Amino acid sequence: MRRAYDVAIVGAGIVGATVARALAIRSPTARILLIDKERGAGAHASGRNSGVLHAGFYYDSSSLKAQFCRKGAAFWTEYCDSRKLPIKKCGKVVVAKCEQQAQVVETLYHRGRENGVQLDLIDERQLAELEPLARTFKTALWSPHTASVDPRKVLESVLREAQELGVEVCWGTQFAGLASSLPSSGRGPIHMLLKDAAGSKQTLGVEASFLVNTAGMYADQVAAEF
């Protein structure tokens, strides 16, 4: 491990890994450090989720969340296809149990269409052809491009690519705080302390121009140091 980096990223889940990969692509000469307190990839949420690539019809079409959802689904579908990673292009149906829920289904349809998502409103007969075990009240929503992936395999692939691009990944390494307070201007190198997550009290001082906090459920603890 070096003592000085351009960027240090705390947390090697899917967010930290993709940030590291993207930075390495944009700035090939940048010195990038990615650390995680666990001994391997996907120990928490990034490796323990359903892996669904949501199409982007649940959120208001004017929101960044909706746009990122639609673009992200397309990106990860192409990513998995091009790298021969497992992906189930099974599609998704949203059903209703009553008149009120049928109105919600129609709202989701219009919301998704406004966001550029391919969707269809289908009747009970069409639903039975797609999924014989499903039932709905009058209408259902069919999302043909909703898919699911293996989140751990995706994460491992992104981490492997980041390392091939020159990112230094250090497992079992925990952010232990700042060695000195930041300048009042908020600019200047960040002097941080790292330690072996196994419990060693010995720390290592590392300097970085920028720190990216992608520590998941522990992000508040990292942020508290600033």
Side-chain angles (χ1 to χ4, degrees), residues 67-88:
Q67 297 169 37
F68 289 159
C69 192
R70 172 176 52 80
K71 294 177 181 179
F75 172 86
W76 288 114
T77 297
E78 190 281 329
Y79 182 93
C80 291
D81 282 343
S82 64
R83 291 157 178 80
K84 293 182 170 49
L85 295 174
I87 178 170
K88 295 180 181 178

Side-chain angles (χ1 to χ4, degrees), residues 6 9 28-29 32 40 43 46 58 69 80 100 114 137 141 146 166 178:
D6 297 304
I9 304 170
T29 61
I32 302 170
S46 292
Y58 284 113
C69 192
C80 291
Q100 184 179 11
E114 289 173 0
F137 180 85
L141 183 65
T146 298
L178 299 178

